[in-house]
Amino acid sequence: MTSTLDARRTLTVALGERSYPIHIGPGLLDDARRLRPYLAGRQVMIVTNETLAPLYLERLKAGLDDDLTVREVVLPDGESTKTLASVERIWDALLEAGFNRRCTLVALGGGVIGDMTGYAAACYQRGVAFVQLPTTLLSQVDSSVGGKTGVNHPRGKNMIGAFWQPRAVLIDTDTLATLPARELSAGLAEVIKYGLIRDADFLAWLEANMAALRGLDAATLTQAIERSCRLKAEIVAEDETEQGVRALLNLGHTFGHAIETHQGYGRWLHGEAVGVGMLLAAELSQRLGWLSQDEVARTRAVLAAAALPLAAPGDMTPEDFLAIMRLDKKNLDERLRLILLRRLGDACLYDETPSETLMTLLETFPRR
Ligand code: NAD
Ligand code: GLY
């Protein structure tokens, strides 16, 4: 029989002096002493939200050593709260507590809390330490790793932000037990993304194991999280600030961000929008002669098996898509740059999509 400790894994994000570990396994939240080596001093500010505080905050605090000064900020829940105003609340709490440059912020939550906490840490007194305790599948496989932090602007997703790496990522896989099924599916979109962009074997493994993942089988989930984090850690180590290969992690995101921005933050989950975006990217790749029909069908089927939407919002015209996509951060010199698939498991950045091809795709793609 496997013990809890045997089930734990550690990976490293190799960034020289700023390298940090990703610990993965059950029960990590109840083992908060593990945080100690990553604290810059004795001041700890936990940032979480109104959904997670009743579930996990006291458990986390109970495990922290008595000599620490621990404070908390509990923000409202939701993508629509991922704003500069929420980050200001974190800064207010830090100043009110009299916390100095040796304080550490601890993000207890999904990608929204993680992105905002990281940004608050990047700016507070020109940069303080932070640790990620991600509690959604999406944040465990993607957003907690790699140091992209920030907030949304009414005109565009994640338009205000900074690269600021955490000191450690502690992934307690037990937290997924309380995650709503729709949120689990949204996380699976980012897991599928790794298979599509870089690892065809992993994609085949996901096709075979999707039912176990949706059924919260602990060992299968841990395997998926570990492989995803390994792929992300490799990419971040190669290209921390997205000068090249890291852009591939944005497969489906240009279309997806357009959906999120157009629909109003929070109506579509980020992972749901990315899932539809990946299907659009696969179909576009087929129209450019790269993917076969069979490969597009496999992409659609694996997204369907993860219970992700396969159609775009009914009230979104091709012009709506294009107007928002033109603001995408990847674009250079006004050229639309998209991540597309040469094959399953092999992505590329492409800026020569003929506008008629893109327009026809957006006109004919299913709506719901
Ligand atoms: P989220 O943070 O909004 O969490 C989803 C919902 O689940 C929330 O209502 C949250 O309160 C709840 N929740 C979280 N953990 C729970 C648990 N264990 N039990 C019960 N409920 C729980 O959304 P998300 O999907 O985690 O993250 C999406 C955000 O991440 C987006 O803003 C996206 O832009 C960002 N993101 C960032 C990166 C990056 O590299 N920084 C990468 C991908 C996505
Ligand atoms: N989620 C995209 C990135 O971290 O680069």
Side-chain angles (χ1 to χ4, degrees):
M1 200 173 131
T2 317
S3 76
T4 297
L5 286 177
D6 291 340
R8 290 184 179 169
R9 302 272 183 277
T10 299
L11 311 172
T12 302
V13 183
L15 289 170
E17 285 177 347
R18 289 171 302 116
S19 295
Y20 55 93
I22 307 171
H23 298 293
I24 307 168
L28 288 177
L29 263 189
D30 296 310
D31 196 7
R33 280 198 178 76
R34 273 180 169 262
L35 278 176
R36 190 78 198 217
Y38 312 115
L39 303 181
R42 292 195 177 161
Q43 300 170 335
V44 177
M45 180 66 72
I46 302 172
V47 183
T48 190
N49 72 23
E50 287 166 356
T51 305
L52 289 155
L55 291 170
Y56 298 116
L57 183 57
E58 288 313 315
R59 270 172 62 187
L60 173 63
K61 280 166 64 179
L64 289 170
D65 295 327
D66 291 341
D67 64 326
L68 300 173
T69 304
V70 181
R71 297 281 184 277
E72 69 226 23
V73 198
V74 181
L75 297 169
D77 193 358
E79 183 73 37
S80 61
T81 69
K82 191 172 152 183
T83 60
L84 210 47
S86 298
V87 174
E88 273 186 44
R89 282 191 53 186
I90 305 174
W91 291 326
D92 289 347
L94 288 163
L95 288 165
E96 210 166 293
F99 277 13
N100 59 34
R101 294 170 82 175
R102 294 190 65 222
C103 70
T104 306
L105 275 61
V106 175
L108 172 65
V112 168
I113 287 292
D115 282 11
M116 289 197 295
T117 306
Y119 188 53
C123 302
Y124 186 66
Q125 301 198 5
R126 301 203 180 87
V128 296
F130 91 112
V131 175
Q132 292 269 19
L133 266 60
T135 60
T136 60
L137 180 61
L138 184 141
S139 56
Q140 295 180 351
V141 298
D142 191 355
S143 64
S144 64
V145 176
K148 279 192 182 176
T149 73
V151 295
N152 299 328
H153 186 278
R155 284 173 179 262
K157 266 290 283 178
N158 298 331
M159 278 293 163
I160 315 296
F163 285 101
W164 191 247
Q165 299 293 341
R167 289 223 171 167
V169 182
L170 268 68
I171 300 175
D172 184 340
T173 48
D174 288 342
T175 57
L176 297 178
T178 56
L179 191 68
R182 192 175 157 203
E183 298 289 350
L184 187 81
S185 290
L188 287 170
E190 302 278 13
V191 177
I192 292 167
K193 175 186 81 179
Y194 292 111
L196 289 173
I197 62 171
R198 195 152 159 122
D199 190 341
D201 290 344
F202 185 38
L203 184 67
W205 182 88
L206 289 170
E207 290 171 321
N209 286 283
M210 195 53 79
L213 290 168
R214 288 188 59 211
L216 292 181
D217 178 74
T220 316
L221 272 169
T222 302
Q223 246 180 293
I225 294 167
E226 187 183 350
R227 190 133 167 196
S228 301
C229 285
R230 197 178 289 285
L231 288 161
K232 176 123 189 204
E234 273 172 25
I235 291 172
V236 170
E238 223 175 291
D239 177 23
E240 182 183 4
T241 56
E242 199 169 308
Q243 307 303 310
V245 68
R246 186 165 180 172
L248 304 183
L249 288 170
N250 291 312
L251 176 70
H253 284 57
T254 308
F255 295 109
H257 285 169
I259 293 175
E260 286 185 88
T261 305
H262 181 267
Q263 294 293 291
Y265 299 122
R267 281 182 56 200
W268 276 62
L269 301 183
H270 175 72
E272 292 173 338
V274 165
V276 169
M278 292 194 296
L279 189 52
L280 276 158
E283 293 209 1
L284 190 51
S285 305
Q286 187 209 343
R287 284 166 196 249
L288 292 170
W290 299 343
L291 286 194
S292 66
Q293 279 201 343
D294 181 49
E295 286 174 307
V296 176
R298 272 183 69 192
T299 306
R300 189 180 297 106
V302 74
L303 294 168
L308 285 159
L310 303 173
D315 61 350
M316 217 175 150
T317 63
E319 290 73 20
D320 292 331
F321 267 100
L322 292 174
I324 303 172
M325 287 165 68
R326 283 198 192 98
L327 267 180
D328 190 77
K329 292 193 286 306
K330 286 187 295 307
N331 297 341
L332 286 181
D333 305 329
E334 300 184 11
R335 288 173 85 98
L336 193 58
R337 302 205 314 161
L338 293 170
I339 311 304
L340 298 175
L341 295 169
R342 291 202 181 275
R343 282 188 306 275
L344 296 184
D346 182 9
C348 63
L349 183 63
Y350 191 65
D351 66 0
E352 288 172 32
T353 305
S355 44
E356 320 75 72
T357 313
L358 181 56
M359 199 64 183
T360 315
L361 169 72
L362 290 170
E363 278 164 0
T364 54
F365 192 77
R367 296 294 196 278
R368 66 177 201 178

